Amino acid sequence: MKCMLVLILLGYANYKKTSSRIEDWCDSDKLTEITLKRFPMNAKTNHEYSSILYNRGNDIEGAYRHALKAIEILPEFCEVHLTIAKLSFSLQKEDDFIKHLMKAIPCSGTHSEAFQHWNQYWTITLNQIQKNGNPSAMKEIYQRYTELTNLVQHDLRESVKVWNTYLPPDKQHKIDGEL
């Protein structure tokens, strides 16, 4: 009889613990927070938490810190480079915006969105300088744009070569020409 009572009590305690955790498992934000506490050196979890903070809109700096932590853990995490670029833009950190966007452009999963941000940024920047009517500033910005675009094109061409190794010949991307 005592054994039966002990088994019932253990079963009930296990049920209470499991049922209280079900709420956590059903809330992806809460689950990410719990996972981050348990595994603070996980790049994906830091990136997910960065996205949660950004989407809440109340802690852009915190989102930025967690994204930087993710890239510190896994430097080639392309989605994080794109996230850092977007956060940098929001925080008016222009150099970080450009640096991380340049790392996101050559990646197959982030190429389209990153390149769209690249074109928008440089179009707006060059148009603003042109409106100001300062020829020396225009020349300086255009030179910077050209230098950075050449670097991006080089990295993109190298990535396309790698992508092509996974594709049949009739599906491979052309590498010649400009972006």
Side-chain angles (χ1 to χ4, degrees):
M1 185 69 163
K2 283 185 176 181
C3 285
M4 186 63 119
L5 184 59
V6 169
L7 285 174
I8 291 172
L9 288 175
L10 284 174
Y12 180 74
N14 199 20
Y15 164 77
K16 287 296 283 177
K17 183 178 179 181
T18 301
S19 64
S20 69
R21 296 292 311 271
I22 287 174
E23 288 181 28
D24 294 341
W25 296 334
C26 292
D27 181 348
S28 63
D29 290 2
K30 183 75 172 166
L31 186 58
T32 300
E33 290 174 9
I34 291 168
T35 305
L36 186 61
K37 286 177 186 170
R38 181 86 199 244
F39 303 101
M41 295 302 293
N42 184 294
K44 183 167 177 43
T45 304
N46 273 282
H47 181 235
E48 287 176 11
Y49 193 62
S50 171
S51 296
I52 289 169
L53 294 175
Y54 179 76
N55 291 333
R56 287 180 186 163
N58 60 352
D59 191 4
I60 305 294
E61 286 285 347
Y64 183 74
R65 281 192 308 276
H66 279 280
L68 288 177
K69 180 71 171 180
I71 216 65
E72 177 186 314
I73 296 166
L74 190 59
E76 299 305 317
F77 197 161
C78 295
E79 289 82 6
V80 179
H81 283 293
L82 182 58
T83 298
I84 293 172
K86 291 191 272 188
L87 290 168
S88 297
F89 189 81
S90 296
L91 295 169
Q92 298 178 342
K93 297 181 179 199
E94 183 179 352
D95 290 339
D96 280 353
F97 169 75
I98 291 170
K99 172 185 163 186
H100 290 283
L101 207 52
M102 288 177 69
K103 292 195 178 271
I105 287 174
C107 302
S108 63
T110 56
H111 167 74
S112 293
E113 186 178 352
F115 197 64
Q116 183 179 27
H117 289 297
W118 179 266
N119 285 332
Q120 288 172 344
Y121 170 78
W122 286 108
T123 299
I124 291 168
T125 300
L126 291 168
N127 285 338
Q128 285 177 343
I129 297 294
Q130 189 175 24
K131 284 180 185 177
N132 292 340
N134 184 341
S136 63
M138 181 66 173
K139 183 179 179 181
E140 182 181 318
I141 294 294
Y142 188 76
Q143 183 178 353
R144 182 170 186 228
Y145 161 75
T146 303
E147 289 171 3
L148 294 175
T149 298
N150 287 338
L151 290 172
V152 167
Q153 285 179 345
H154 174 268
D155 291 347
L156 185 57
R157 282 188 181 101
E158 293 303 311
S159 290
V160 169
K161 287 179 189 175
V162 173
W163 301 346
N164 282 342
T165 63
Y166 297 102
L167 297 172
D170 62 319
K171 301 287 184 189
Q172 291 184 1
H173 302 284
K174 294 180 182 174
I175 298 175
D176 297 332
E178 293 190 14
L179 296 176

